[in-house]
Amino acid sequence: MATGTINGITGGTANGTTTAVVRTNSNTGYYMEISFFNNGTPHAMRGDSSLSQSIRNYAPASSTVPDYTFSTASTSAVFAYTVDATDPSDVDPSFVHNGAACDAGATPGGGANCWMGPSTSGFRIIDRNTAATAGATSTINFRIHVPNNPNPSLVADTYTATATLTALNQ
């Protein structure tokens, strides 16, 4: 959940998180995917009252690999996510980096790196290969960035994106 206000003219950045705990006795572990509700618009975030789509989906350079850094080069407001886990080895390899690129190296994003844009298709964020009988905790970090004088202009509203986390045994 993200809270706070971002000025639609001068912009700013807001961060939010949600946490999931998965318990399974599957010896081969589990994987988790995230997908975003198809709200009838091409963007995951929509104004609750205005139905505005002025916060766009973040567009990483690749649709299969997160961006190492959260780029603020877009002239529109953007929404992205990354993932972290209490056990760093649980993080899917696409969110692991080598200090310069994601899907490489051995360091999980940790909430600061490896940003992905939302999609209605499931995207793997956790890939654990052992049982989690005591529970495995994952944190999804969300970020909204609004540049100075965004295009399109940000409509004053409360914006919501609905995500679904699906955990399945390996």
Side-chain angles (χ1 to χ4, degrees), residues 7 30-31 36 59 89 104 107 113 131 158 163 165:
N7 190 312
Y30 72 98
Y31 66 93
F36 290 81
S89 67
T107 306
N113 299 106
T158 297
L165 298 174

Side-chain angles (χ1 to χ4, degrees), residues 18-103:
T18 193
T19 302
V21 178
V22 174
R23 291 180 67 183
T24 179
N25 62 0
S26 170
N27 290 331
T28 55
Y30 72 98
Y31 66 93
M32 184 185 303
E33 295 182 344
I34 188 170
S35 62
F36 290 81
F37 177 70
N38 182 347
N39 59 24
T41 72
H43 305 290
M45 296 211 86
R46 183 169 72 172
D48 292 351
S49 298
S50 66
L51 305 181
S52 169
Q53 300 177 53
S54 55
I55 299 177
R56 308 290 194 194
N57 292 348
Y58 181 79
S62 165
S63 63
T64 60
V65 177
D67 282 351
Y68 176 69
T69 58
F70 184 93
S71 171
T72 57
S74 176
T75 59
S76 58
V78 292
F79 168 63
Y81 69 91
T82 188
V83 66
D84 197 10
T86 302
D87 181 345
S89 67
D90 290 354
V91 175
D92 185 75
S94 62
F95 289 93
V96 173
H97 66 85
N98 62 7
C102 297
D103 203 20

Side-chain angles (χ1 to χ4, degrees), residues 8 14 18 20 44 54 63 75 102-104 109 114 118 121-123 126 144-145 150 168:
T18 193
S54 55
S63 63
T75 59
C102 297
D103 203 20
C114 299
S121 300
F123 192 84
I126 298 293
I144 297 169
H145 176 75
L168 298 167

Side-chain angles (χ1 to χ4, degrees), residues 121-133:
S121 300
F123 192 84
R124 191 171 289 200
I125 59 174
I126 298 293
D127 195 353
R128 182 183 174 105
N129 59 15
T130 60
T133 55

